[in-house]
Amino acid sequence: MKAIVVDDEPVIADTLVDILNGEGWEAVPVSDGASAVKWAQLIQPDVVITDVIMPGMDGIETAKAIMEILPRCRIILFSGQASSVDLLEKAHADGYQFEVLAKPINPTILLEVLGPPAKTASSKKLSESLRTT
Amino acid sequence: MTEYPLGPLHLLRRAQVNTMNSNAGFLREAATFTPAIDQGKIDSHGHTVQFYRDDSYLLDGLSRFIGSALGAGDAGVVIATKEHRDGLAQRLRARGLDLSLAAKQGRYISLDASETLSKFMRNGSPDALRFTEVIGTVLAQARAAAQGGQSRVAAFGEMVALLWAEGKGEAALLLEHLWNDLGQSHSFHLHCAYPMAAFGEVADGELIERVCAAHTHVIPSECYASLASEEERTHSVVALQQKAVALETEMAARKNIQRSLQLREAELVDFLEHAAIGMHWVAGDGTILWANKAELDLVGYSREEYIGHHIREFHADHDVIEDILRRLSQNEELHAYEARLRCKDGSIRYVRIDSNVFTQDGKFVHTRCFTLDITGQQKAQEARLKLAAIVESSDDAIASKNLDGIVTSWNGSAERMLGYKAEEIIGRPVTLIIPPELQDDETMILGKLRRGEKIDHFETVRMTKTGERLNVSLTISPLKDDSGKVIGAAKIMRNITETKKIEHALRLSEKLASVGRLAATVAHEINNPLEAVTNLLFLARRDMADTLKAERYLELADRELDRVAHIARQTLGFYRDSSAPVAVNVSQLMDDLLFLYESKFQNRGIELVKQYESSLEIMAVTGELRQVFSNLISNSIDAMASGGSLTVRISASHEWNNSHLSGVRITVADTGSGIDPQHRNRIFEPFFTTKADVGTGLGLWITRGIVEKHGGLIHVHSRTEAGRSGTAISIFLPQTCLQPQPEEKSLLFARETKGLVNTKTILTSSGVIR
């Protein structure tokens, strides 16, 4: 299972990717929304975990864009700020349902929410996806 | 009535001197009548001219003349006016003469002078032939009828006098000569008479000579007739001469007086006609009798269009003119009576009328009216009243004062706003409404006014009658007299208490919002490191076996916790800030804030450059200063969405205009897109923002408010040219009490912060090292 972790704080993105990879995920750290969309197109992730408040495209816009191209991709929003509430309400009003987690979150809980990465034979392996570019 | 003899002049002139007639009786009669040389003798030929003043004198004399002829049986011919003929007839009858008998006998012929005259007058002159025909016939008849011894005819004719009265002097003289010519062929004694009054002109002197010359005898008028002796006559001649001289002198004097009177009159007429004020006379019935030039010019009518017309035609208000006429007819004097006149061109002129009445023997002759044009003043007055009305009805409180600060006017809105009625405050000092602690305001205001300066939107506090304090905005303008000298001030006061309350609320809400934003930033700054630490600990435990990895993870976690601790220490203690000014270390405050924004700088790719000159302290309200710095930093971050460089400079400085105020200058400069020139004037406006949905638009407005409250100044420099764009905001804050320590003015390193933030440190001295 492939995942993209989007956060403008490198420490957070890197450590999360490290944790996920340790659990059998194939995770990639990205630091902004636009790049996240490109990566999504490229590697077709199953899950995208993204910070909400970021410079440039915020998390919600990133999520919407990715949903356009990967309607069945699971998107989890990750927020450390109270103002994300407004953004989420707006998204909800537009008909989007996103999962939200608040920072700081214990990685154990995050892993529980994600569930173990399913071994699907149909999905391409990350390295394969990367190789084809 | 004294009588005087003939003058010597006449003696010389005598053309024919006739000898005396023996008819003593006749002569005696004549002697009493005709004095001097003619004593006794009037013979069959003679032409006497008599001058008379009084008709009865003439008629008395005539009655003797004609009467004696008739009495002697001779003929008498009378060609005279009806009055004279009747008067003569009356006297003759009184003498006992039977006129009707004499008339029957043809001895008494009485003819009308003008009738007879018309019989021989041709073209205003006596025709010789016809005269001879007419008169000759009459005389011949009379002669024939005369039964006296010598068939004398006594004739009296005053046709000449009639001609003379008609102004036909030459014709009269001609007629006299015709009589004389007739005397050649006919025998009669003619007596003519002229009223002396007919010769009233000085010029008649020559003519009277000619008249006398045409006669054989001259009888002067009444005064001379009765004088008998030579002595008496010469005395009276001298008297006459003196009289003549006296009269001539008097006449000359009179002429002089007349001349000077004429001059005087001319002067007076000129004065009235050309006076600079309108004057006119109006008769009792309202007709204009006379008007001078100024009056006609005032109403624009010509003389003919004005004089002779009724005065009410020219007044705009009929009731006014009727009142004026009524009062004048009651002999009232009018002073400064205001009226409106309608001019020929239809325009209205305001006038003030002064008038009284000229009476004679208690009768109204005409008015003496003076008309003063006050249109100009009236219009000025109306304009003043209009302005006064505008002031009074204005919703703004408007008042005025003189240069001593004494209130001179106070409108209704001022009464309502401050609780003092106009009567209560006019004449009293304006300091009544100034709160005690602001009394110096007035001195400052008066000083500016005296220099002719205007005070615009000066926000201050004023006190009502009940002691309530109001926030007001004052606009005070100097009042100048005609020569431009400042004589007082007009002030408009606007109650901005409500506005101030709203502003206060806005500031509060922005403060809260700012705190909220700060809190959000703080939350972010805490949550992220905590998240990082959580992950790092997880990883450390997972990879505990790999000591190097574990160590690395724990080290990172340590650093993150440091940051959190720092933030918690510094920023979460905000609630301890007092609202009173305290000594604030500016650099320290700035650093604390910059620390908060560190991660943001990093994520946005913003390079931070700090240039702190020294450890400077100023008296300030900590929370407010923090709000200001925070506002500037976040504005700069927002401007550099795709990265850039943020420079923060802190240095000791002096107020830009007033070099005796020392303090601190703080500059926050970014390399963002700059402020659009068209927006530059508006950036301090409340609610003005170019950020789509992030800002409230209140940040800079409040920032400026706080800076000014601390007695400081704020400046903005900005460029929008690509490649060189950016904005630098400079704030000066006065030090007030504390001085920086001398040794600390030397070089100082900016603190290098721990963590993952790139910070360039600048050493400042006279040069800059990068």
Side-chain angles (χ1 to χ4, degrees):
Chain A
M1 294 261 277
K2 290 178 293 249
I4 296 178
V5 177
V6 192
D7 196 306
D8 55 332
E9 286 268 12
V11 188
I12 296 172
D14 290 341
T15 49
L16 267 180
V17 161
D18 205 334
I19 293 168
L20 288 173
N21 285 344
E23 295 301 308
W25 290 87
E26 289 183 280
V28 176
V30 177
S31 52
D32 68 270
S35 311
V37 177
K38 289 201 189 104
W39 276 95
Q41 246 169 344
L42 184 63
I43 66 165
Q44 319 256 313
D46 305 284
V47 171
V48 172
I49 303 169
T50 170
D51 187 12
V52 176
I53 306 294
M54 290 188 293
M57 263 176 94
D58 66 45
I60 292 172
E61 281 170 33
T62 312
K64 287 183 191 172
I66 293 175
M67 288 212 73
E68 294 276 307
I69 47 173
L70 298 169
R72 277 177 291 125
C73 177
R74 187 179 175 189
I75 303 192
I76 299 174
L77 296 172
F78 205 13
S79 169
Q81 292 210 35
S83 46
S84 4
V85 174
D86 298 327
L87 293 169
L88 285 164
E89 275 179 3
K90 192 170 173 305
H92 184 69
D94 290 342
Y96 291 91
Q97 291 278 41
F98 298 123
E99 291 172 67
V100 184
L101 292 174
K103 287 184 196 171
I105 192 166
N106 196 314
T108 317
I109 298 173
L110 175 63
L111 290 171
E112 265 181 46
V113 168
L114 280 174
K119 289 259 188 297
T120 49
S122 54
S123 61
K124 257 190 185 170
K125 279 205 139 250
L126 178 62
S127 45
E128 282 175 34
S129 320
L130 288 172
R131 261 208 299 279
T132 51
T133 47
Chain B
M1 194 166 56
T2 42
E3 292 164 320
Y4 291 88
L6 291 175
L9 273 170
H10 182 73
L11 292 172
L12 290 169
R13 276 233 192 84
R14 277 279 294 271
Q16 301 158 318
V17 178
N18 297 301
T19 49
M20 293 196 185
N21 197 305
S22 57
N23 195 335
F26 185 79
L27 288 171
R28 225 183 333 274
E29 286 275 331
T32 53
F33 171 65
T34 320
I37 324 100
D38 305 325
Q39 199 94 265
K41 188 134 170 123
I42 296 286
D43 70 339
S44 51
H45 291 85
H47 189 182
T48 310
V49 63
Q50 176 174 11
F51 297 96
Y52 65 94
R53 280 190 206 230
D54 188 45
D55 277 23
S56 49
Y57 172 68
L58 166 71
L59 294 170
D60 288 342
L62 274 182
S63 72
R64 285 196 288 270
F65 177 54
I66 302 287
S68 62
L70 286 175
D74 288 322
V77 175
V78 177
I79 311 174
T81 63
K82 184 171 187 316
E83 293 81 29
H84 286 170
R85 283 186 289 125
D86 289 347
L88 182 60
Q90 191 187 18
R91 281 169 174 77
L92 290 172
R93 282 197 197 98
R95 283 172 166 268
L97 292 164
D98 188 350
L99 288 179
S100 36
L101 180 63
K104 243 199 221 144
Q105 291 170 343
R107 288 193 298 127
Y108 180 68
I109 304 175
S110 178
L111 299 170
D112 183 70
S114 55
E115 212 187 290
T116 316
L117 190 59
S118 62
K119 286 187 180 157
F120 55 81
M121 285 295 282
R122 286 284 173 274
N123 299 326
S125 202
D127 184 75
L129 270 161
R130 300 191 85 87
F131 171 76
T132 315
E133 241 179 74
V134 172
I135 303 297
T137 315
V138 170
L139 288 173
Q141 277 176 349
R143 186 104 200 282
Q147 290 155 17
Q150 299 197 20
S151 304
R152 253 165 249 119
V153 178
F156 171 67
E158 60 179 350
M159 292 182 292
V160 285
L162 287 182
L163 282 174
W164 190 263
E166 285 168 21
K168 298 171 181 157
E170 290 300 329
L173 281 167
L174 185 56
L175 184 54
E176 296 279 18
H177 287 297
L178 289 176
W179 273 109
N180 286 338
D181 294 341
L182 200 62
Q184 306 291 334
S185 50
H186 292 69
S187 175
F188 61 93
H189 190 108
L190 174 66
H191 199 103
C192 356
Y194 289 90
M196 197 49 124
F199 298 91
E201 302 282 314
V202 168
D204 295 334
E206 193 233 324
L207 291 160
I208 212 169
E209 298 279 298
R210 289 165 70 187
V211 167
C212 293
H215 296 79
T216 57
H217 300 75
V218 175
I219 304 178
S221 69
E222 290 90 310
C223 325
Y224 284 81
S226 63
L227 290 176
S229 69
E230 184 71 29
E231 214 178 291
E232 277 182 341
R233 282 185 226 121
T234 45
H235 285 177
S236 37
V237 162
V238 168
L240 247 188
Q241 285 171 324
Q242 184 278 328
K243 216 179 175 185
V245 168
L247 277 171
E248 275 164 18
T249 313
E250 212 176 287
M251 260 185 53
R254 191 175 64 83
K255 272 208 165 64
N256 277 336
I257 291 168
Q258 194 175 15
R259 207 174 304 121
S260 60
L261 276 176
Q262 274 171 343
L263 279 171
R264 186 95 182 101
E265 194 191 327
E267 268 177 10
L268 283 170
V269 168
D270 169 79
F271 176 49
L272 291 177
E273 262 307 314
H274 299 112
I277 189 173
M279 295 189 230
H280 66 266
W281 297 347
V282 166
D285 64 357
T287 316
I288 303 169
L289 299 175
W290 168 82
N292 73 349
K293 186 173 183 299
E295 176 94 0
L296 295 173
D297 286 349
L298 172 64
V299 288
Y301 285 97
S302 70
R303 210 163 275 278
E304 303 75 48
E305 291 167 325
Y306 197 65
I307 293 173
H309 290 247
H310 197 289
I311 187 76
R312 80 161 75 91
E313 287 173 35
F314 306 95
H315 273 252
D317 308 300
H318 277 200
D319 50 338
V320 167
I321 183 59
E322 296 305 332
D323 183 56
I324 290 172
L325 288 173
R326 187 180 51 79
R327 286 174 193 252
L328 288 171
S329 68
Q330 286 163 9
N331 221 350
E332 233 184 273
E333 260 191 28
L334 301 177
H335 289 288
Y337 196 112
E338 291 190 11
R340 300 189 307 150
L341 298 181
R342 186 168 292 116
C343 304
K344 187 169 182 183
D345 63 8
S347 62
I348 297 284
R349 299 204 85 82
Y350 291 87
V351 294
R352 212 175 271 155
I353 295 172
D354 284 61
S355 183
N356 56 10
V357 179
F358 168 47
T359 55
Q360 217 169 35
D361 306 322
K363 277 186 68 187
F364 188 116
V365 181
H366 59 72
T367 62
R368 306 182 192 103
C369 280
F370 289 78
T371 317
L372 177 65
D373 185 355
I374 56 164
T375 310
Q377 293 136 274
Q378 192 68 19
K379 287 209 166 28
Q381 170 83 332
E382 275 173 15
R384 263 198 298 277
L385 286 171
K386 204 184 239 170
L387 279 173
I390 291 170
V391 165
E392 193 48 43
S393 63
S394 168
D395 285 338
D396 288 330
I398 301 176
S400 68
K401 63 187 178 194
N402 64 18
L403 280 178
D404 297 322
I406 305 292
V407 176
T408 50
S409 82
W410 193 257
N411 81 340
S413 296
E415 286 183 341
R416 284 186 288 278
M417 187 167 126
L418 289 150
Y420 290 97
K421 289 238 159 284
E423 310 84 72
E424 289 178 289
I425 196 162
I426 290 178
R428 301 190 63 197
V430 75
T431 45
L432 267 179
I433 60 167
I434 302 180
E437 67 274 14
L438 294 171
Q439 291 289 324
D440 289 341
D441 265 9
E442 187 57 14
T443 322
M444 181 270 291
I445 291 169
L446 284 175
K448 281 198 169 209
L449 288 169
R450 280 201 191 92
R451 292 193 290 275
E453 285 171 36
K454 186 181 170 189
I455 293 162
D456 234 331
H457 300 109
F458 172 56
E459 289 189 8
T460 180
V461 178
R462 288 290 178 261
M463 217 164 64
T464 67
K465 190 174 176 186
T466 55
E468 186 192 334
R469 277 170 162 71
L470 303 172
N471 290 104
V472 294
S473 168
L474 300 178
T475 299
I476 311 179
S477 321
L479 285 174
K480 297 181 183 163
D481 66 10
D482 290 335
S483 62
K485 194 165 74 96
V486 178
I487 52 168
K491 55 200 257 187
I492 302 176
M493 296 177 276
R494 273 194 202 92
N495 189 347
I496 55 169
T497 313
E498 278 312 304
T499 323
K500 277 265 169 281
K501 281 187 189 150
I502 292 168
E503 277 182 14
H504 186 76
L506 274 176
R507 268 194 212 94
L508 202 62
S509 77
E510 172 60 16
K511 194 172 179 184
L512 289 171
S514 165
V515 169
R517 281 195 293 276
L518 218 50
T521 311
V522 170
H524 186 270
E525 295 304 302
I526 291 178
N527 286 337
N528 275 0
L530 284 180
E531 168 66 29
V533 167
T534 314
N535 290 354
L536 287 164
L537 285 176
F538 181 91
L539 288 167
R541 283 162 68 196
R542 185 191 72 180
D543 300 339
M544 218 166 4
D546 184 339
T547 40
L548 238 95
K549 258 197 185 173
E551 210 188 297
R552 177 84 186 122
Y553 291 146
L554 291 173
E555 201 189 308
L556 285 172
D558 199 13
R559 261 198 244 179
E560 291 295 306
L561 282 176
D562 249 347
R563 272 186 50 166
V564 177
H566 183 90
I567 289 166
R569 269 199 306 277
Q570 294 299 325
T571 61
L572 294 180
F574 289 176
Y575 72 92
R576 284 185 300 218
D577 290 337
S578 87
S579 55
V582 293
V584 177
N585 185 313
V586 179
S587 324
Q588 185 78 62
L589 192 74
M590 182 62 81
D591 275 346
D592 291 341
L593 226 49
L594 288 170
F595 183 71
L596 257 186
Y597 286 101
E598 254 180 23
S599 50
K600 266 225 174 111
F601 292 149
Q602 193 201 14
N603 295 339
R604 303 284 185 101
I606 293 172
E607 182 195 24
L608 176 65
V609 177
K610 295 200 288 194
Q611 298 170 340
Y612 296 174
E613 188 177 280
S614 58
S615 173
L616 294 158
E617 285 196 346
I618 60 168
M619 296 299 283
V621 176
T622 318
E624 289 183 351
L625 212 55
R626 187 179 296 112
Q627 195 172 349
V628 164
F629 292 167
S630 171
N631 175 236
L632 297 181
I633 294 167
S634 65
N635 280 353
S636 287
I637 291 174
D638 289 340
M640 295 188 284
S642 29
S645 171
L646 179 73
T647 309
V648 179
R649 220 176 286 128
I650 298 175
S651 59
S653 181
H654 291 279
E655 191 188 341
W656 292 304
N657 304 323
N658 233 329
S659 57
H660 60 262
L661 243 188
S662 66
V664 169
R665 191 184 305 176
I666 303 120
T667 307
V668 174
D670 63 59
T671 57
S673 48
I675 302 170
D676 205 307
Q678 66 177 325
H679 294 146
R680 211 157 297 169
N681 294 336
R682 303 190 60 196
I683 55 172
F684 291 107
E685 263 177 44
F687 305 113
F688 178 80
T689 178
T690 55
K691 302 175 194 173
D693 53 3
V694 183
T696 56
L698 291 173
L700 277 174
W701 176 60
I702 287 180
T703 295
R704 184 177 69 171
I706 292 170
V707 167
E708 285 176 358
K709 187 179 145 194
H710 282 76
L713 296 165
I714 181 165
H715 265 219
V716 177
H717 297 282
S718 190
R719 278 202 302 249
T720 50
E721 299 95 56
R724 297 174 355 123
S725 64
T727 303
I729 301 194
S730 230
I731 292 173
F732 171 80
L733 292 169
Q735 206 162 38
T736 318
C737 292
L738 276 64
Q739 301 288 327
Q741 301 307 308
E743 57 272 15
E744 283 175 87
K745 267 198 142 177
S746 58
L747 306 170
L748 248 187
F749 289 87
R751 282 179 312 114
E752 206 173 319
T753 52
K754 294 188 200 165
L756 310 159
V757 182
N758 285 327
T759 314
K760 282 231 171 81
T761 314
I762 310 300
L763 299 173
T764 61
S765 59
S766 48
V768 168
I769 308 162
R770 256 184 175 266

mmCIF file of all heavy atoms in Angstrom, chain A residues 81, chain B residues 516-526 596-597 600:
data_model
loop_
_atom_site.group_PDB
_atom_site.id
_atom_site.type_symbol
_atom_site.label_atom_id
_atom_site.label_comp_id
_atom_site.label_asym_id
_atom_site.label_seq_id
_atom_site.Cartn_x
_atom_site.Cartn_y
_atom_site.Cartn_z
ATOM 1 N N GLN A 81 -4.028 23.280 14.008
ATOM 2 C CA GLN A 81 -4.559 24.635 14.254
ATOM 3 C C GLN A 81 -6.066 24.676 14.315
ATOM 4 O O GLN A 81 -6.754 23.970 13.585
ATOM 5 C CB GLN A 81 -4.103 25.559 13.142
ATOM 6 C CG GLN A 81 -2.629 25.797 13.190
ATOM 7 C CD GLN A 81 -2.310 27.161 12.654
ATOM 8 O OE1 GLN A 81 -3.087 28.091 12.846
ATOM 9 N NE2 GLN A 81 -1.195 27.283 11.977
ATOM 10 N N GLY B 516 -5.685 36.160 19.285
ATOM 11 C CA GLY B 516 -6.149 34.884 18.766
ATOM 12 C C GLY B 516 -5.207 34.350 17.710
ATOM 13 O O GLY B 516 -4.852 33.166 17.699
ATOM 14 N N ARG B 517 -4.807 35.246 16.794
ATOM 15 C CA ARG B 517 -3.895 34.813 15.730
ATOM 16 C C ARG B 517 -2.568 34.376 16.316
ATOM 17 O O ARG B 517 -1.986 33.382 15.916
ATOM 18 C CB ARG B 517 -3.659 35.944 14.732
ATOM 19 C CG ARG B 517 -4.767 36.122 13.737
ATOM 20 C CD ARG B 517 -4.312 36.993 12.580
ATOM 21 N NE ARG B 517 -4.072 38.356 13.014
ATOM 22 C CZ ARG B 517 -5.027 39.263 13.122
ATOM 23 N NH1 ARG B 517 -6.281 38.938 12.849
ATOM 24 N NH2 ARG B 517 -4.758 40.476 13.526
ATOM 25 N N LEU B 518 -2.168 35.193 17.286
ATOM 26 C CA LEU B 518 -0.911 34.859 17.958
ATOM 27 C C LEU B 518 -1.044 33.502 18.634
ATOM 28 O O LEU B 518 -0.161 32.667 18.563
ATOM 29 C CB LEU B 518 -0.605 35.946 18.990
ATOM 30 C CG LEU B 518 0.853 36.341 19.154
ATOM 31 C CD1 LEU B 518 1.500 36.632 17.820
ATOM 32 C CD2 LEU B 518 0.934 37.554 20.055
ATOM 33 N N ALA B 519 -2.209 33.376 19.261
ATOM 34 C CA ALA B 519 -2.437 32.099 19.944
ATOM 35 C C ALA B 519 -2.430 30.962 18.944
ATOM 36 O O ALA B 519 -1.897 29.886 19.227
ATOM 37 C CB ALA B 519 -3.758 32.151 20.693
ATOM 38 N N ALA B 520 -3.037 31.221 17.801
ATOM 39 C CA ALA B 520 -3.046 30.172 16.776
ATOM 40 C C ALA B 520 -1.629 29.834 16.348
ATOM 41 O O ALA B 520 -1.280 28.668 16.178
ATOM 42 C CB ALA B 520 -3.849 30.642 15.574
ATOM 43 N N THR B 521 -0.855 30.911 16.199
ATOM 44 C CA THR B 521 0.543 30.671 15.843
ATOM 45 C C THR B 521 1.249 29.883 16.940
ATOM 46 O O THR B 521 1.987 28.932 16.668
ATOM 47 C CB THR B 521 1.279 32.012 15.638
ATOM 48 O OG1 THR B 521 0.507 32.817 14.780
ATOM 49 C CG2 THR B 521 2.659 31.802 15.070
ATOM 50 N N VAL B 522 0.973 30.307 18.159
ATOM 51 C CA VAL B 522 1.584 29.612 19.295
ATOM 52 C C VAL B 522 1.168 28.146 19.290
ATOM 53 O O VAL B 522 1.987 27.254 19.468
ATOM 54 C CB VAL B 522 1.169 30.299 20.623
ATOM 55 C CG1 VAL B 522 1.582 29.445 21.801
ATOM 56 C CG2 VAL B 522 1.796 31.674 20.705
ATOM 57 N N ALA B 523 -0.131 27.962 19.092
ATOM 58 C CA ALA B 523 -0.626 26.578 19.076
ATOM 59 C C ALA B 523 0.112 25.776 18.020
ATOM 60 O O ALA B 523 0.583 24.660 18.275
ATOM 61 C CB ALA B 523 -2.115 26.602 18.789
ATOM 62 N N HIS B 524 0.189 26.379 16.858
ATOM 63 C CA HIS B 524 0.887 25.709 15.767
ATOM 64 C C HIS B 524 2.330 25.419 16.174
ATOM 65 O O HIS B 524 2.847 24.303 15.942
ATOM 66 C CB HIS B 524 0.846 26.620 14.542
ATOM 67 C CG HIS B 524 1.410 25.972 13.310
ATOM 68 N ND1 HIS B 524 2.734 26.058 12.981
ATOM 69 C CD2 HIS B 524 0.809 25.246 12.353
ATOM 70 C CE1 HIS B 524 2.934 25.396 11.837
ATOM 71 N NE2 HIS B 524 1.761 24.895 11.442
ATOM 72 N N GLU B 525 2.942 26.425 16.760
ATOM 73 C CA GLU B 525 4.342 26.287 17.146
ATOM 74 C C GLU B 525 4.545 25.254 18.229
ATOM 75 O O GLU B 525 5.640 24.728 18.395
ATOM 76 C CB GLU B 525 4.914 27.634 17.606
ATOM 77 C CG GLU B 525 4.969 28.678 16.514
ATOM 78 C CD GLU B 525 5.759 28.202 15.323
ATOM 79 O OE1 GLU B 525 6.945 27.853 15.488
ATOM 80 O OE2 GLU B 525 5.178 28.161 14.221
ATOM 81 N N ILE B 526 3.527 25.018 18.978
ATOM 82 C CA ILE B 526 3.662 23.995 20.025
ATOM 83 C C ILE B 526 3.270 22.622 19.498
ATOM 84 O O ILE B 526 3.941 21.620 19.739
ATOM 85 C CB ILE B 526 2.818 24.378 21.260
ATOM 86 C CG1 ILE B 526 3.459 25.598 21.936
ATOM 87 C CG2 ILE B 526 2.677 23.205 22.201
ATOM 88 C CD1 ILE B 526 2.718 26.104 23.137
ATOM 89 N N LEU B 596 9.071 32.951 17.486
ATOM 90 C CA LEU B 596 7.774 32.343 17.218
ATOM 91 C C LEU B 596 7.557 32.062 15.740
ATOM 92 O O LEU B 596 6.944 31.075 15.353
ATOM 93 C CB LEU B 596 6.668 33.317 17.637
ATOM 94 C CG LEU B 596 5.933 33.063 18.941
ATOM 95 C CD1 LEU B 596 4.792 34.045 19.080
ATOM 96 C CD2 LEU B 596 5.402 31.646 19.011
ATOM 97 N N TYR B 597 8.059 32.983 14.936
ATOM 98 C CA TYR B 597 7.801 32.862 13.506
ATOM 99 C C TYR B 597 8.873 32.065 12.768
ATOM 100 O O TYR B 597 8.831 31.905 11.565
ATOM 101 C CB TYR B 597 7.700 34.256 12.883
ATOM 102 C CG TYR B 597 6.425 34.992 13.215
ATOM 103 C CD1 TYR B 597 6.407 35.975 14.196
ATOM 104 C CD2 TYR B 597 5.239 34.714 12.542
ATOM 105 C CE1 TYR B 597 5.235 36.648 14.492
ATOM 106 C CE2 TYR B 597 4.070 35.391 12.832
ATOM 107 C CZ TYR B 597 4.071 36.358 13.817
ATOM 108 O OH TYR B 597 2.916 37.031 14.093
ATOM 109 N N LYS B 600 7.884 29.368 10.355
ATOM 110 C CA LYS B 600 7.238 29.968 9.190
ATOM 111 C C LYS B 600 8.289 30.499 8.226
ATOM 112 O O LYS B 600 8.164 30.333 7.008
ATOM 113 C CB LYS B 600 6.329 31.121 9.635
ATOM 114 C CG LYS B 600 4.881 30.746 9.848
ATOM 115 C CD LYS B 600 3.925 31.758 9.238
ATOM 116 C CE LYS B 600 2.499 31.243 9.374
ATOM 117 N NZ LYS B 600 1.730 32.043 10.334
#
